[in-house]
Structure formats: C-alpha cells, structure tokens
Amino acid sequence: MDAGVTCRSCGADGLKRVLSLGETPLADRLLTEDMLAQPEPVYPLTVVFCPSCTLMQIAETVSPEELFCENYPYYSSFSPALLEHSRQNAEELIRDRRLGPDSLVVELASNDGYMLKNFVAAGVPVLGIDPAEGPARAAQQAGVETLCTFFGQDMAEQLSAEGRRADVIIANNVLAHVADLNGFVEGIRILLADDGVAVIECPYVRDLIEHCEFDTIYHEHLCYYSVTALKNLFRRHELWLNDVRRLPIHGGSLRLYVGRGDQPTHAVDKLLEEEKTEGAVEFGYYRSFAQRVESLRDELRGFLRGLKSNGKRIAAYGAAAKGATMINYVGIGTDIVDFVVDRNTHKHGCYMPGQHLPVCPVERLLEKMPDYVLLLAWNFADEIVQQQSEYLDRGGVFIRPVPHPRFIARADRDGKN
C-alpha cells in the first residue's frame, strides 16, 4: 500500500490490497434532476487487510459531513422487517436488563427513532444521537429525544459530566461507518455505566467474503469486521466482548454484547476458533475475493444483457447504497434497467448516483409490469417478495444477484421449487 496509509483500528502499516472497485460516486448521494448535468464527484474505493489486527477496511476516507449530514436519504422505518427485528431486540433488552424509568438507553446513529421508539413506549428514558438532519428531525417529531450531531469521545465526556451514563448503549450498523474508530469506541467506554452493556450490530466479514457480497462495500462502510478484529479493537479500550450472535439480517451480521468486565461466553470462543481454523485471520482468506467479484460482475452483466437482447424489460428494486455499488461496478445503466423502485418516499423523483437510473414509487412495478426486477436490496428479498406478491402473480420474476444471479418466480415464493 501507499506510504502513510495505516490501519484504522491499530494504526499499523503494511496493509495488503484485497480489491479495487475503481473510482465510484458516493453510494447514498442521490441526484435531483437539476444535478444530472453537473460534474459528479467520484472517489477511489480500495479494500485492504491489516495483518496486525486482522481488520478488513477501505483505504480512502470521505468527509463524514459529506456522507451523512445533508440530504441523507436513509430512513430505517421504511423497512417492516427491520422494524420487527429492532422491536424484538428492544423487548429482549428491556426484559433481560430489567430496564425501567430510572434507566437510560442511548442509541448511536439512531436514525429516525425506529429502535428507540420501542423503549419510549415501555417508559424507558432514551437519548438518540445522529448527525443526519432529516432522520434526526423525524425521530424528534416521533417523541424520541435526539441530538443531531456526531458521537465521539468529546460527546461522551460531556454526557458523562452531566450524569447521563448509559445502562444500555445501542449501535446498529454504525461501527463500520466511523472515521475516528478509536475515538468512537473510547466514547462508548466513557458513556457506559459500570454495569452497563453496549449492544452493537455490524455486518460479518465472513458472510461478505463467503457469499461474495461485494456491493456492501462503499465509502460509508469503512470497516468489515471479524470477531477477532472486534475483540482486538475493544480490548484496546478496556472493553470486553462477552457474547455474540450471528444474525441473518443484511446478508449476515453479528450482534455483540460488550461490557467493562471480562465474562466471555462459549459463543465468543467458538467464533474466534472458527475464524482461526478457516484462516479468516490471515490475508490468504481474502486473496481470492477479487477474482470472485470480477467473475460475478462479468456473469451478472452478461446475464442481464442476454435478457435485454431477447427483448425483455428490466427494472430494479431498492435505491440503496449497496445498489449504487452494484450498478456502478457491474455497469448497469439505463441501457439495461428502465427504472428503480423504492418504498422510501424521500428518494422518489431522484436518480441513482453514477448510472442515473430514475427512482420511482413501488406502484410503478404493477403499472409497467417489467418482465424482470433486479433486487438491488437483496438483503430484504423475503420482505420484498412478500410485499410484491401481485407482481409475481401476474408473471413477473425477480432476480437475486448474489452470490450468483438466480430467478425468484411465483413457484419459488409458494415453495414449489
């Protein structure tokens, strides 16, 4: 790697290149119509591995203010599956931690209050922290106390000085987004009550590698964690990984339970041993990833162009960040896909970055009845297929792109195939 590029976690040099996705636009920077004629900023997107602490990460850092503050389009509450996932997590924490009116739950990157609303309904005091103005405002309007700012060591010290130590800190899908990784984790240590727990969810790098989920790589996702890399990170800040669960959400995730005392469960030791046995702590585990990604790119591009050359009409579902990586790396433009649909009303009338595919309401599927719909938000495939049952009943077919392109038709939904 270039001189001066060091590990985001341990600071070591000697990072090894895993994969380059080229020069890409920012994945969540949707364009309005008047922006289409303007130059679109692009940045290198290079994945590297740290042999010292085993963390896979990207080499480039885009300003967090540019990524998250203005016109951030992601609102968690538009996904029923995510809402249900979060509700179950909240109810379990309320029960197991015996949370009540004297407790405090703090969520970092709390978005539109999708998670904390469950605690508010149960009478548990909460505080959300999120730098994105739109989602933070939506949370406040829903009755969730929210600070519209970034979280880090300084913010933690301020809250702690005010006596606001957290019994539970929740951090879902944010640890990968943090440029000042050590400042963020140190902030968790400062804010966490002596007997508190930090409950953290993040995508699991083993699932990413094994299922060729290259589209989850974009500039917002700075880090891709193994349990080994996480343990090393937390230990540096006198925090301990005491329990872990593997979850299917987002293509394969971890839920981590972190505290001040060292009380690891068998689940932690088991995953650490699996990573060692499978070689996930060594560069060789990641070396072949680039070739597999290139093969999938060529396969998917040829697959879609073959359908198009046969006169088939293709749309896409999900104007998600992962979708932006997919369409730009594979080269899926308006010559292949006519439009993208999304349930998020904040995205309607906009265009996907790079390829400029128009984003429309989901009703457009039934209005236009494309022959095929490419699932850019494939991590919510089951939810989407259930929601769009009428499209399938009329003969439409979904395409799931990873780990290899495959059709999802009505017979698949009904369990006949």
Side-chain angles (χ1 to χ4, degrees), residues 118-148:
N118 296 286
F119 296 97
V120 172
V124 179
V126 304
L127 176 65
I129 302 174
D130 197 292
E133 295 177 5
R137 185 166 51 249
Q140 293 163 350
Q141 292 170 350
V144 176
E145 182 184 356
T146 303
L147 301 177
C148 187

Side-chain angles (χ1 to χ4, degrees), residues 32 38 46 56 73 89 107 176 190 211 225 233 325 343 369:
T32 58
Q38 302 172 12
T46 311
M56 192 173 93
N89 187 13
E107 183 174 11
I190 293 169
H211 304 303
Y225 293 103
L233 170 63
T325 295
R343 294 188 72 198
M369 278 304 299

Side-chain angles (χ1 to χ4, degrees), residues 50-118:
C50 176
S52 296
C53 73
T54 77
L55 177 62
M56 192 173 93
Q57 56 203 278
I58 64 171
E60 300 80 16
T61 301
V62 178
S63 161
E65 288 76 15
E66 186 173 358
L67 289 172
F68 300 113
C69 289
E70 291 188 18
N71 301 317
Y72 188 61
Y74 183 73
Y75 288 70
S76 300
S77 291
F78 280 98
S79 170
L82 184 58
L83 288 176
E84 177 60 19
H85 172 84
S86 303
R87 183 191 64 79
Q88 292 179 9
N89 187 13
E91 290 182 352
E92 179 181 302
L93 285 169
I94 292 169
R95 181 185 67 248
D96 293 351
R97 305 294 299 184
R98 299 181 180 179
L99 302 177
D102 296 325
S103 307
L104 176 62
V105 176
V106 177
E107 183 174 11
L108 314 178
S110 50
N111 200 258
D112 60 6
Y114 74 106
M115 176 72 168
L116 289 182
K117 285 188 285 190
N118 296 286

Side-chain angles (χ1 to χ4, degrees), residues 37-247:
Q38 302 172 12
E40 191 171 359
V42 295
Y43 301 86
L45 188 55
T46 311
V47 183
V48 296
F49 175 77
C50 176
S52 296
C53 73
T54 77
L55 177 62
M56 192 173 93
Q57 56 203 278
I58 64 171
E60 300 80 16
T61 301
V62 178
S63 161
E65 288 76 15
E66 186 173 358
L67 289 172
F68 300 113
C69 289
E70 291 188 18
N71 301 317
Y72 188 61
Y74 183 73
Y75 288 70
S76 300
S77 291
F78 280 98
S79 170
L82 184 58
L83 288 176
E84 177 60 19
H85 172 84
S86 303
R87 183 191 64 79
Q88 292 179 9
N89 187 13
E91 290 182 352
E92 179 181 302
L93 285 169
I94 292 169
R95 181 185 67 248
D96 293 351
R97 305 294 299 184
R98 299 181 180 179
L99 302 177
D102 296 325
S103 307
L104 176 62
V105 176
V106 177
E107 183 174 11
L108 314 178
S110 50
N111 200 258
D112 60 6
Y114 74 106
M115 176 72 168
L116 289 182
K117 285 188 285 190
N118 296 286
F119 296 97
V120 172
V124 179
V126 304
L127 176 65
I129 302 174
D130 197 292
E133 295 177 5
R137 185 166 51 249
Q140 293 163 350
Q141 292 170 350
V144 176
E145 182 184 356
T146 303
L147 301 177
C148 187
T149 187
F150 287 98
F151 176 78
Q153 184 173 345
D154 291 345
M155 172 59 64
E157 289 174 347
Q158 177 183 329
L159 292 171
S160 180
E162 296 171 358
R164 305 185 80 175
R165 301 279 299 283
D167 300 285
V168 175
I169 295 176
I170 295 169
N172 291 338
N173 297 296
V174 60
L175 200 61
H177 295 67
V178 179
D180 181 12
L181 180 58
N182 285 291
F184 188 89
V185 176
E186 180 64 13
I188 290 176
R189 186 193 67 79
I190 293 169
L191 186 59
L192 191 64
D194 291 344
D195 60 349
V197 63
V199 184
I200 301 167
E201 290 186 15
C202 60
Y204 192 17
V205 73
R206 284 171 67 195
D207 291 306
L208 185 158
I209 296 295
E210 291 171 13
H211 304 303
C212 210
E213 298 169 357
F214 75 91
D215 53 339
T216 61
I217 298 169
Y218 42 90
H219 293 100
E220 289 177 23
H221 281 178
L222 302 172
C223 299
Y224 306 85
Y225 293 103
S226 64
V227 177
T228 304
L230 288 161
K231 179 183 177 182
N232 292 334
L233 170 63
F234 295 134
R235 285 286 297 275
R236 195 176 305 117
H237 296 275
E238 299 179 352
L239 291 170
W240 301 86
L241 176 57
N242 288 322
D243 199 6
V244 61
R245 300 180 192 174
R246 293 188 72 170
L247 307 171

Side-chain angles (χ1 to χ4, degrees), residues 357-370:
L357 303 176
V359 183
C360 308
V362 292
E363 290 77 14
R364 185 65 58 90
L365 287 185
L366 295 181
E367 293 170 2
K368 298 296 185 180
M369 278 304 299

